[in-house]
C-alpha cells in the first residue's frame, strides 16, 4: 500500500503495477521482520541492508500463497493471547531447515527452538507422546495439520485434530479461534 485516501481508496502496488483499490478489499499487513522485536537484523542473522529485500520477498510470498503468512500470524497471535498456550511444531524435515523456516517466516517468536520436534527418525505419534510427557497430563492438546499420519496419531492419543487441507480450512480455523477468543474476552 503506497497511499491511503480518506475516501477509503488505497493506492497499492504489486508486481510493478500501481492501481487504486477499495481499502475494504485489502488487509493491511506489515511484516514484523522489519521491527526491532521480530527482526532478523536484531538477532544478528541478516545485515540491515538486506531487510527491505526480505520484507518485499515475504510480502510477495504472502500474496502468492493467498495470505498464508498473514493468516498464520493472525491465528498464532490470537492463540498466543490465551494464558498458558504453548506452541510446538512436529515436522518430517530435519530440525535445522524447520528452524530456518520459522525464522524466515517470522514465526519463531511463537515457537521457540526447544518446541520443535523432528519426526524424521521417529513417528509423529512418538513426537506427540514426547510432547505430552514434557508438558504433562493436565495440558490440553490439539493437533493441527494436513496429513493422515498426524490425524491418526491424534486419534490414537485421543487428541482433537483440526485438518487443514488448504487455505479455506486455514482461514476458517482463524475465524473460529478469533470468535472464541472474542467470546471468552467478554465473559
Amino acid at each position: 500500500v503506497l497511499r491511503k485516501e480518506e475516501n477509503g481508496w488505497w493506492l497499492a502496488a504489486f508486481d510493478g503495477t500501481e492501481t487504486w483499490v477499495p481499502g475494504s478489499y485489502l488487509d493491511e499487513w506489515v511484516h514484523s521482520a522489519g521491527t526491532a522485536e521480530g527482526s532478523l537484523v536484531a538477532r544478528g542473522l541478516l545485515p540491515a541492508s538486506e531487510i527491505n529485500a526480505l520484507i518485499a520477498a515475504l510480502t510477495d510470498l504472502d500474496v502468492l500463497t493467498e495470505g498464508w503468512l498473514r493468516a498464520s500470524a493472525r491465528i498464532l497471535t490470537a492463540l498466543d493471547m490465551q494464558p498458558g498456550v504453548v506452541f510446538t511444531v512436529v515436522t518430517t524435515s530435519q530440525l535445522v531447515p524447520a528452524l530456518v523456516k520459522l525464522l524466515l517466516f517470522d514465526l519463531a517468536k511463537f515457537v521457540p527452538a526447544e518446541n520443535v520436534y523432528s519426526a524424521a527418525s521417529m513417528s509423529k505419534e512418538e513426537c506427540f507422546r514426547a510432547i505430552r510427557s514434557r508438558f504433562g497430563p493436565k495440558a490440553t492438546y490439539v493437533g493441527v495439520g494436513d496429513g493422515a499420519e498426524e490425524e491418526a496419531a491424534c486419534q490414537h492419543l485421543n487428541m482433537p485434530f483440526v485438518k487443514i487441507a488448504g487455505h479455506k480450512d486455514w482461514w476458517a480455523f482463524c475465524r473460529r479461534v478469533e470468535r472464541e477468543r472474542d467470546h471468552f474476552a467478554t465473559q
Side-chain angles (χ1 to χ4, degrees), residues 76-147:
L76 291 170
T77 299
L79 290 169
D80 199 38
M81 288 189 218
Q82 304 298 320
V85 169
V86 175
F87 299 108
T88 60
V89 169
V90 176
T91 178
T92 54
S93 74
Q94 296 294 323
L95 285 176
V96 171
L99 293 169
V100 168
K101 287 178 194 175
L102 287 170
L103 282 169
L104 283 176
F105 297 145
D106 200 31
L107 301 175
K109 62 188 169 196
F110 298 108
V111 186
E114 65 271 14
N115 290 359
V116 179
Y117 295 78
S118 176
S121 60
M122 64 172 60
S123 71
K124 288 192 176 178
E125 185 171 332
E126 289 173 300
C127 289
F128 291 166
R129 286 183 190 281
I131 292 166
R132 271 199 163 162
S133 174
R134 179 174 167 209
F135 293 104
K138 292 185 179 181
T140 301
Y141 301 91
V142 178
V144 178
D146 65 351

Side-chain angles (χ1 to χ4, degrees), residues 79 90 128 142-147 150 154 159-164 170 173:
L79 290 169
V90 176
F128 291 166
V142 178
V144 178
D146 65 351
E150 58 261 25
C154 286
M159 290 171 45
F161 180 75
V162 178
K163 186 165 184 107
I164 306 294
W170 190 238
F173 185 52

